[in-house]
Amino acid sequence: RVSSVLNRDVKQFGKKHMFDTSEETCWNSDQGTCQWVTLDFPRTVKVSQLHIQFQGGFSSRLCTLEGEELVSHASWCPPACFFPLRAPHRFQVEETVLDKLKITFENSTDFFGRIVVYHLGVLGERL
């Protein structure tokens, strides 16, 4: 699930585009102060790393991870918020066992609060 889709145009900007491995498609949120993505895994996983490819200028200065088993939230400032070019970024996270993961994008670099993600990958292992 995602917080929003630009102009509700799921065909062109829907969540599925974060996982289709195409460099031409993306999830584009609508305006708003806080955008998010929720991932429901079919079975329990141990997450250790996230790969996110933002569109320069439409990234987040602060991202927060939440999961059912997380005791505290992990936050970081993605390097993408400082670079205008799209580039995949890898973020190590404390290994956590969970069934659901919510990534909240706070403090967008876009004046209107939009977030654009070309690729989202969660690395770890199935349990």
Side-chain angles (χ1 to χ4, degrees), residues 2-15 26-32 35 58 110 112-116:
V2 292
S3 53
S4 64
V5 175
L6 183 64
N7 300 323
R8 296 186 180 152
D9 186 350
V10 295
K11 185 174 183 181
Q12 187 173 2
F13 301 114
K15 61 189 173 194
C26 62
W27 165 61
N28 194 330
S29 77
D30 216 333
Q31 298 182 53
Q35 301 296 331
F58 296 92
D110 174 57
F112 297 102
R114 295 169 293 191
I115 299 291
V116 177

Side-chain angles (χ1 to χ4, degrees), residues 8-9 21 29 36 44 60 70 73 75 85 93 97 104 106:
R8 296 186 180 152
D9 186 350
T21 67
S29 77
W36 51 264
T44 303
S60 177
L70 284 178
H73 301 278
S75 301
L85 301 174
V93 296
V97 176
T104 304
E106 303 175 42

Side-chain angles (χ1 to χ4, degrees), residues 3-127:
S3 53
S4 64
V5 175
L6 183 64
N7 300 323
R8 296 186 180 152
D9 186 350
V10 295
K11 185 174 183 181
Q12 187 173 2
F13 301 114
K15 61 189 173 194
K16 66 184 176 196
H17 297 302
M18 287 187 282
F19 308 103
D20 66 6
T21 67
S22 170
E23 295 294 320
E24 304 298 319
T25 61
C26 62
W27 165 61
N28 194 330
S29 77
D30 216 333
Q31 298 182 53
T33 56
C34 202
Q35 301 296 331
W36 51 264
V37 172
T38 299
L39 304 170
D40 289 313
F41 300 104
R43 52 199 292 204
T44 303
V45 296
K46 184 191 298 184
V47 174
S48 60
Q49 197 175 95
L50 292 179
H51 293 189
I52 301 177
Q53 184 175 354
F54 290 105
Q55 169 66 47
F58 296 92
S59 60
S60 177
R61 290 185 183 96
L62 176 66
C63 299
T64 304
L65 306 179
E66 300 174 66
E68 298 136 0
E69 303 298 322
L70 284 178
V71 175
S72 61
H73 301 278
S75 301
W76 70 88
C77 183
C81 65
F82 301 112
F83 298 104
L85 301 174
R86 282 193 331 229
H89 298 284
R90 290 168 175 73
F91 303 99
Q92 288 294 129
V93 296
E94 185 176 330
E95 285 192 349
T96 305
V97 176
L98 44 78
D99 296 319
K100 181 188 266 188
L101 175 65
K102 182 177 182 181
I103 305 168
T104 304
F105 303 106
E106 303 175 42
N107 300 329
S108 173
T109 57
D110 174 57
F111 182 74
F112 297 102
R114 295 169 293 191
I115 299 291
V116 177
V117 176
Y118 279 83
H119 173 72
L120 173 63
V122 179
L123 277 66
E125 62 183 277
R126 294 181 194 151
L127 300 179

